[in-house]
Amino acid sequence: MCSKNATDSSSSIATRLTVLYTVSMLAILASVIGFLLHTVVKDLEFEDNDFLIERISSIRSVINRYPQDLEHLKEHLLPRDANRHVRYQVRLQDASGSTVLESPAMASLPPLLFPPPIISSEPIGRAKKHKTSDGQYYLLNAAWAAAGDDPQFRLLQVALDVTEEEALMANYRLKMGSALLAGLCLAGGLAFIISRRELRPLREMAAQIGTITASDLHQRVGNRRWPKEFAPLTGALDTMLGQLEQSFERLSAFSANLAHELRTPLNNLRVESEVALSRPRTATEYRQTIESSIEEYERLSRMIGDILFLARPEQGVERHNLDARTELDRLADYYRTLAEERDIALSVDGNGSISADPRLFQRAVGNLLANALHYTPSGGAVAVSIQSGTAGEAAIVVKDNGNGIPSDELPLVFDRFYRSAQARQLHRDGSGLGLAIVRSIMELHAGSVTLASQPGLGTTVTLHFPPS
């Protein structure tokens, strides 16, 4: 339930790509538009400040030449037509703060609004922006005008009307905001269309994979031309399909072999029971039938136990440091009776220690000894040896001089239920699970098993145990 809810709540790749692309475009467009607006504002302010500085310098020159001629000052500083709109306004005050002359619009700009004045030897600073109660914008600046030896003869205050520029910038901001919104909508729509289009191969791949069933695992995803970014995915999927195909084939073969192996003892039990019931028999005959049935039951029990062992790949392994010679001597004593009955020499050689699960170690080596004794003819020999490596690894070698295995059968001997025709003839009670169990045990120990054999010369099986 949790997994389903998590899947349902997650957004699609197309949606996430659209959101990320739109956010990226928002950041880009906002940065570009912000930079452009900032540049335009700074350029306008620079030009306006230059204009004010130029006007202050010009008015200073007039005052310096005509310090007492007010009429001449009015003629140069104030417009002749009082109704004509003039962008800049001027106010002159004497050292006591009394107004000498001023432009009509200066009435809405009290002297205290202006920045502190500077003398002629100081550089003129940036103007101060002010908004009046009637919505007009002005840049305000002030400076002292010198006359003769008096550096503070007149206080000059100049105001530049920038209302139209502010309106123009407000209009620019509105247009830029609209352009940003339109760009985002366009970018989002294009991002969704592009992402859907570029993700189409993924949907096609999903549709192709959805058609693959257990009966056609031979299909491969990578046989079409996909975008190169899909190469790791298609490779992994094809590898998985190949493994599934092999697993299904092995499962089918395993099921067929299992049915065959189980059918034989069951048929034997049924036939013996039918024969025993076909006519009255003596107690001795019934006893023989029961003993034969018990042997088949034991065979079935061993087979079922082996199957259950192989069906539990995650078995717990309790590794201990074992004296390999002691363990092998114990196993040799157990199998020596069978060896003597078959007139086979059984020997153990070498010393060493290994890190292994005692129960699994005995089962693995026991399976190898049982195989060697079953497929070695009378008068043969089976030798078990211990080999130790320089890095701490150990190997248990079981060698016989029996019938050997043909080279074409060597890749199959570790498969479950595999038994060659020769093996079935020499040892009819086998199930073909012994070597499969040995390989499984070695994998549980992070080790390996190797087998070398030549027909007529014998077989050598080596168990490789990693360092403890």
Side-chain angles (χ1 to χ4, degrees), residues 380-442:
V382 175
V384 184
S385 61
I386 307 166
Q387 299 177 359
S388 300
T390 57
E393 68 276 12
I396 306 298
V397 181
V398 178
K399 182 178 181 180
D400 66 61
N401 58 356
N403 301 291
I405 304 172
S407 58
D408 59 334
E409 295 182 5
L410 288 178
L412 306 175
V413 294
F414 289 102
D415 291 348
R416 300 175 183 181
F417 291 113
Y418 177 78
R419 301 186 69 207
S420 65
Q422 181 184 16
R424 293 179 184 276
Q425 182 179 2
L426 293 175
H427 181 47
R428 299 181 60 184
D429 293 336
S431 62
L433 294 174
L435 289 178
I437 291 176
V438 171
R439 181 174 63 177
S440 177
I441 290 174
M442 295 310 298

Side-chain angles (χ1 to χ4, degrees), residues 325 328-329 347-352 383-387 397:
R325 181 58 182 264
L328 293 179
D329 285 339
S347 62
V348 179
D349 183 48
N351 290 282
V384 184
S385 61
I386 307 166
Q387 299 177 359
V397 181

Side-chain angles (χ1 to χ4, degrees), residues 309-329:
F309 180 89
L310 292 172
R312 297 192 298 268
E314 301 297 332
Q315 301 181 68
V317 178
E318 298 181 0
R319 300 178 68 168
H320 301 279
N321 288 325
L322 305 177
D323 185 333
R325 181 58 182 264
T326 301
E327 297 295 328
L328 293 179
D329 285 339

Side-chain angles (χ1 to χ4, degrees), residues 217-291:
L217 290 172
H218 60 278
Q219 293 190 38
R220 294 296 180 265
V221 181
N223 55 10
R224 289 182 51 184
R225 293 191 61 182
W226 301 103
K228 62 181 182 180
E229 291 81 4
F230 286 11
L233 177 60
T234 56
L237 287 172
D238 286 345
T239 301
M240 181 186 69
L241 288 172
Q243 294 173 346
L244 286 174
E245 184 179 15
Q246 294 176 3
S247 298
F248 269 87
E249 290 176 353
R250 287 196 298 267
L251 181 61
S252 299
F254 175 79
S255 300
N257 290 330
L258 177 62
H260 174 75
E261 295 296 334
L262 290 177
R263 184 171 60 244
T264 300
L266 290 175
N267 284 339
N268 291 341
L269 289 171
R270 183 174 60 84
V271 170
E272 289 178 354
S273 299
E274 289 176 350
V275 171
L277 296 175
S278 62
R279 62 180 177 81
R281 298 183 180 275
T282 65
T284 302
E285 291 175 329
Y286 282 123
R287 182 180 181 85
Q288 292 175 349
T289 301
I290 294 174
E291 289 176 350

Side-chain angles (χ1 to χ4, degrees), residues 358-375:
R359 176 179 56 85
L360 297 180
F361 174 79
Q362 292 180 5
R363 184 163 191 175
V365 179
N367 283 357
L368 297 182
L369 287 174
N371 279 351
L373 293 173
H374 284 136
Y375 299 114

